[in-house]
Amino acid sequence: MVRPSWTRVSALSVGVLLVTVLTGCSLLGRSGSASGPDQQGAATPTPVGKRVSLVQRLGGDGPLRTLDVEPTGRWQCRDCAGDGVDATGALNPEQTSRLQRMLDDPALAGETDEARRYRQLCIGALTSTLLIPPGLTITIQDCPGEPEPPVAYEVLLLLTQATPAQDKG
């Protein structure tokens, strides 16, 4: 078995950390807080559901693609298909409902990197990391023989099939 070089593992870890920090900053930097008063002093309604971010990289040198999906189904993708193009859109109501059901599934807690004691096994494979606040991180690598966490894999499929977040290369 060929082990990944530490520079590749640490580069991906730095990328995931950067996206996590930027996602947190974007939540704090929005105009008006989710539960703060609006212009008339009334509380702003908080969307019901969970946010999810998907970070993908093909190999250690590929572009870092990110997709952020709000509880409402609105999404924003940066370098969506590894082609430098950004996009925004929305999941349809059925996709949004299905995504929220999967994100609420208690089985996700058993699929985290920590619970599975996840280690990268393949070099050059597509690595997808789901970040589900408040602190669930689930990494799935497109690596022959690697077991796929069932609920997280369904989330990954939904996100990549419903948005431009897939590799065109």
Side-chain angles (χ1 to χ4, degrees), residues 49-78:
K50 294 182 179 176
R51 292 176 41 91
V52 62
S53 295
L54 169 63
V55 180
Q56 291 184 306
R57 175 170 273 166
L58 182 60
D61 300 330
L64 188 65
R65 302 187 312 252
T66 60
L67 171 71
D68 296 315
V69 182
E70 298 292 330
T72 61
R74 300 269 322 141
W75 55 263
Q76 179 179 6
C77 188
R78 286 173 297 289

Side-chain angles (χ1 to χ4, degrees), residues 16-30 51 53 68 70 78 131 133-134:
V16 170
L17 179 62
L18 177 64
V19 168
T20 303
V21 169
L22 291 175
T23 299
C25 290
S26 72
L27 287 173
L28 295 174
R30 294 174 189 244
R51 292 176 41 91
S53 295
D68 296 315
E70 298 292 330
R78 286 173 297 289
L131 304 166

Side-chain angles (χ1 to χ4, degrees), residues 10-168:
S10 58
L12 181 61
S13 298
V14 168
V16 170
L17 179 62
L18 177 64
V19 168
T20 303
V21 169
L22 291 175
T23 299
C25 290
S26 72
L27 287 173
L28 295 174
R30 294 174 189 244
S31 61
S33 66
S35 60
D38 65 11
Q39 305 265 337
Q40 285 77 33
T44 304
T46 302
V48 177
K50 294 182 179 176
R51 292 176 41 91
V52 62
S53 295
L54 169 63
V55 180
Q56 291 184 306
R57 175 170 273 166
L58 182 60
D61 300 330
L64 188 65
R65 302 187 312 252
T66 60
L67 171 71
D68 296 315
V69 182
E70 298 292 330
T72 61
R74 300 269 322 141
W75 55 263
Q76 179 179 6
C77 188
R78 286 173 297 289
D79 199 10
C80 300
D83 56 6
V85 176
D86 296 347
T88 59
L91 302 175
N92 68 40
E94 185 278 326
Q95 291 168 328
T96 301
S97 176
R98 186 169 153 233
L99 175 63
Q100 290 303 315
R101 281 192 309 273
M102 289 186 287
L103 294 176
D104 284 335
D105 190 326
L108 276 177
E111 296 180 3
T112 65
D113 292 355
E114 183 178 356
R116 293 182 301 140
R117 295 186 174 136
Y118 177 78
R119 297 175 314 150
Q120 280 190 313
L121 299 176
C122 295
I123 295 174
L126 176 63
T127 301
S128 303
T129 302
L130 294 168
L131 304 166
I132 307 163
L136 296 182
T137 302
I138 303 168
T139 304
I140 302 168
Q141 206 173 18
D142 189 14
C143 182
E146 181 178 324
E148 298 159 345
V151 178
Y153 189 70
E154 287 299 314
V155 170
L156 176 64
L157 286 178
L158 172 69
L159 295 179
T160 56
Q161 291 171 357
T163 69
Q166 53 188 324
D167 189 16
K168 291 182 181 177

